[in-house]
Amino acid sequence: MTVTTGDDRRFPAALAAVARIEFDYADGEGVDFEPYDAFDSAEETTDWIRHWTGNHELDGAAYRVFGQDGAGGRAALWCVRAGRPLAEQPVVFLGSEGERGVVAGGLSDFLWVLADGYGPMEAALDDELESCPDPSLAGLAERYATTPRRPVRDIVTEVRAAFPSFSDDLDALCR
């Protein structure tokens, strides 16, 4: 069951700082991430999740989309932790071809994922997860993160364990 935190669409300062970063795709060897400078509107998010699932009864209230990859997959905060602020909601990735995964347990850990050289798509789909630190993103994470620095592998393993049914729950929404 998905629980929302209301219609809070105020863009966190940490995501605004991420939006100012240009990620280098490096011909498929880098990070495929295009951050937004604001959340998609509620209407855009509803349209996207309905098309992604084929379920036109859904609304997008459970998601705050804040970026995409080059193929149109979306990175979002998933508002599943009742009563908790947006920064404490898990970060998820939903790819344009049905790929999906949880990326980080909250915005702070997501900053450490970026600092370790991974974008949302790579963290959600890659099982190797070897650290490739990015000094400029590490500096950004040091300024905004409220959790201690940890390797991407630890962050992703932890959030996958916390939300083991994420993929199955999405499948249940699909028509």
Side-chain angles (χ1 to χ4, degrees), residues 57-140:
E57 296 174 15
L58 295 177
D59 66 33
Y63 301 95
R64 301 295 182 273
V65 177
F66 64 85
Q68 68 180 46
D69 67 4
R74 302 296 203 279
L77 294 172
W78 176 36
C79 301
V80 68
R81 292 179 171 146
R84 307 261 297 270
L86 287 178
E88 294 178 16
Q89 302 299 334
V91 174
V92 298
F93 174 79
L94 284 80
S96 62
E97 301 297 321
E99 316 90 337
R100 80 290 295 266
V102 287
V103 174
L107 181 54
S108 183
D109 279 346
F110 177 65
L111 297 175
W112 292 121
V113 166
L114 295 174
D116 225 14
Y118 285 81
M121 178 190 69
E122 295 85 9
L125 305 180
D126 188 348
D127 288 327
E128 299 296 317
L129 298 172
E130 296 298 324
S131 294
C132 307
D134 180 312
S136 66
L137 288 167
L140 186 145

Side-chain angles (χ1 to χ4, degrees), residues 16-75:
V18 168
R20 293 189 289 274
I21 304 290
E22 186 171 327
F23 290 84
D24 185 5
Y25 185 54
D27 294 322
E29 299 299 317
V31 174
D32 186 5
F33 182 47
E34 301 168 13
Y36 300 165
D37 59 6
F39 290 124
D40 276 353
S41 70
E43 296 79 13
E44 290 168 317
T45 303
T46 293
D47 187 54
W48 160 73
I49 197 67
R50 285 178 176 175
H51 282 89
W52 198 92
T53 61
N55 184 343
H56 294 279
E57 296 174 15
L58 295 177
D59 66 33
Y63 301 95
R64 301 295 182 273
V65 177
F66 64 85
Q68 68 180 46
D69 67 4
R74 302 296 203 279

